[in-house]
Amino acid sequence: MSRFVALEGADGCGKSTQVDRLAQSLRNKGEQVVTVREPGSTSLGERVRDILLDGDEPLCAEAEALLFLASRAQLLEEVIEPALAAGKWVIADRFHISTVVYQGIAGELGEERAADLCQVVIGDRRPALNIVIEISAEKIQERIDSRSSAGDRFESRPGIYDRTVAAFRQVRGIAGDRIVRVDGSGTAEQVAARIEKEVALVLR
Ligand code: TYD
């Protein structure tokens, strides 16, 4: 899915800002762009997001991963596939690499099992490029501490920042995934320029 890019990284890495910047830079070149966030961006996805992030009912590891995947399946069908078929770009704020990291490597499933579940549900309907914005655990902690809002279910897990930063460094995803790591330090402009360079290198 060649015009499909996912931005990935630990919480607080600046991903959402970069999704907007990348979308804007493509629009400035005359491209049509759809941005999506995960979990969410469909009616079902937003409800699943509430259960996953703000709910407090017990969730076993498999159920958790499958809820993320249910939201993703709906997003593919309702939004991503039609947009790509219409020649638009799709920029996703997280996609399956997050499941492999959070539920797999940093969670209880392990990388292989999480990647297998993703493969079963999404198959080849994957981003052509997964950009991981890398940032140190210390920097993330600083950014999170300065936020006013309370953390979600995942952010309140002990040691989660160290584990996810390390997991994003090593994640391989599903066989055939193209994962590029970009230095997330410096200004938003500098990071955006690095991301644009990778997109231009890989997808044009
Ligand atoms: P995100 O929307 O990036 O966080 P924020 O609301 O702070 O912008 O992601 C929500 C949380 O969900 C984040 O802690 C990571 C987690 N997550 C998973 O555990 N697995 C997944 O597959 C995805 C997409 C997100």
Side-chain angles (χ1 to χ4, degrees), residues 72-135:
R72 192 164 301 142
Q74 191 67 28
L75 183 61
L76 276 164
E77 176 83 20
E78 245 182 65
V79 182
I80 297 177
E81 292 188 292
L84 292 171
K88 299 176 185 169
W89 284 77
V90 175
I91 313 296
D93 186 336
R94 299 194 184 282
F95 206 66
H96 71 293
I97 297 298
S98 279
T99 308
V100 179
V101 163
Y102 284 84
Q103 282 65 52
I105 305 173
E108 288 172 27
L109 290 183
E111 180 163 20
E112 205 176 318
R113 176 87 179 122
D116 284 351
L117 289 177
C118 290
Q119 170 75 67
V120 167
V121 175
I122 65 177
D124 290 335
R125 301 177 302 166
R126 283 180 272 154
L129 179 61
N130 302 276
I131 297 180
V132 174
I133 303 174
E134 290 202 308
I135 179 163

Side-chain angles (χ1 to χ4, degrees), residues 11 15 49 53 68 72 94 98-99 102-103 154-155:
D11 293 278
K15 207 171 26 62
R49 184 178 180 94
L53 304 190
F68 277 110
R72 192 164 301 142
R94 299 194 184 282
S98 279
T99 308
Y102 284 84
Q103 282 65 52
F154 302 97
E155 289 170 340

Side-chain angles (χ1 to χ4, degrees), residues 1-8 18-19 22-23 26 33-38 80 84 88-97 126-132 178 180 195-196 198-200 202-204:
M1 302 185 112
S2 63
R3 295 182 155 202
F4 183 12
V5 180
L7 294 199
E8 296 276 6
Q18 295 301 333
V19 167
L22 178 58
L26 288 165
V33 185
V34 172
T35 60
V36 292
R37 72 163 182 175
E38 281 238 333
I80 297 177
L84 292 171
K88 299 176 185 169
W89 284 77
V90 175
I91 313 296
D93 186 336
R94 299 194 184 282
F95 206 66
H96 71 293
I97 297 298
R126 283 180 272 154
L129 179 61
N130 302 276
I131 297 180
V132 174
R178 189 175 251 156
V180 170
I195 290 173
E196 278 175 45
E198 293 299 340
V199 172
V202 176
L203 299 183
R204 304 256 167 106

